[in-house]
C-alpha cells in the first residue's frame, strides 16, 4: 500500500504566484526522485469552524489563503529515501531559508499517513 505526506499552510494572497513557482519546482524535484504523485491545492470552499477548521489550524490572517498539498509514494521506505534526496536537492535550496519561503513556515503543519482505503 502507498504512503502519503500531507501539508497545510497559510499563503499570503499577494505571494500566491511565488508559491506556485516554488510548487512547480517542488513537483519536479519530488517526481524526479521517485514520488508517484504531487498535488498542490488552494482553498476554495473552506470556512472557519466552531471548534476547528483549516483556517483555524493555520491561524489564517486577512489576505491569506490556505494551501493543502500531498505527495504519494510507493511506501514509507520509499518516502524516507525520497525525502532525504529532496532535502539535499540544490533546486530547492533557496526555499529552505525562511526568508525566501512564500509562506509562514511556522504556521505550516504536515505529517505522514498510511492509507487505509485506496481506490
Amino acid at each position: 500500500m502507498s504512503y502519503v505526506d500531507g501539508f497545510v499552510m497559510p499563503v499570503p494572497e499577494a505571494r500566491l504566484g511565488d508559491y506556485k513557482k516554488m510548487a512547480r519546482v517542488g513537483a519536479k524535484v519530488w517526481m524526479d526522485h521517485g514520488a508517484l504523485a504531487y498535488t498542490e491545492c488552494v482553498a476554495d470552499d473552506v470556512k472557519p469552524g466552531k471548534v476547528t477548521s483549516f483556517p483555524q489550524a493555520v491561524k489564517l490572517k486577512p489576505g491569506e489563503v490556505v494551501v493543502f498539498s500531498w505527495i504519494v509514494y510507493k511506501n514509507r521506505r520509499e518516502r524516507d529515501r525520497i525525502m532525504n534526496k529532496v532535502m539535499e536537492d540544490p533546486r530547492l535550496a533557496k526555499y529552505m531559508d525562511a526568508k525566501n519561503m512564500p509562506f509562514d513556515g511556522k504556521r505550516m503543519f504536515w505529517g505522514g499517513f498510511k492509507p487505509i482505503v485506496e481506490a
Side-chain angles (χ1 to χ4, degrees), residues 50-94:
K50 292 184 179 177
V51 178
T52 190
S53 66
F54 282 97
Q56 288 162 284
V58 298
K59 298 180 179 166
L60 197 68
K61 297 176 182 176
E64 292 180 333
V65 65
V66 176
V67 170
F68 172 53
S69 313
W70 68 91
I71 303 166
V72 180
Y73 310 92
K74 182 178 178 182
N75 54 45
R76 169 73 189 267
R77 189 176 63 152
E78 273 296 283
R79 180 271 214 147
D80 292 346
R81 180 191 69 75
I82 292 166
M83 190 61 78
N84 285 333
K85 292 196 175 281
V86 165
M87 291 299 120
E88 295 173 359
D89 195 298
R91 294 174 287 179
L92 287 176
K94 76 177 188 176

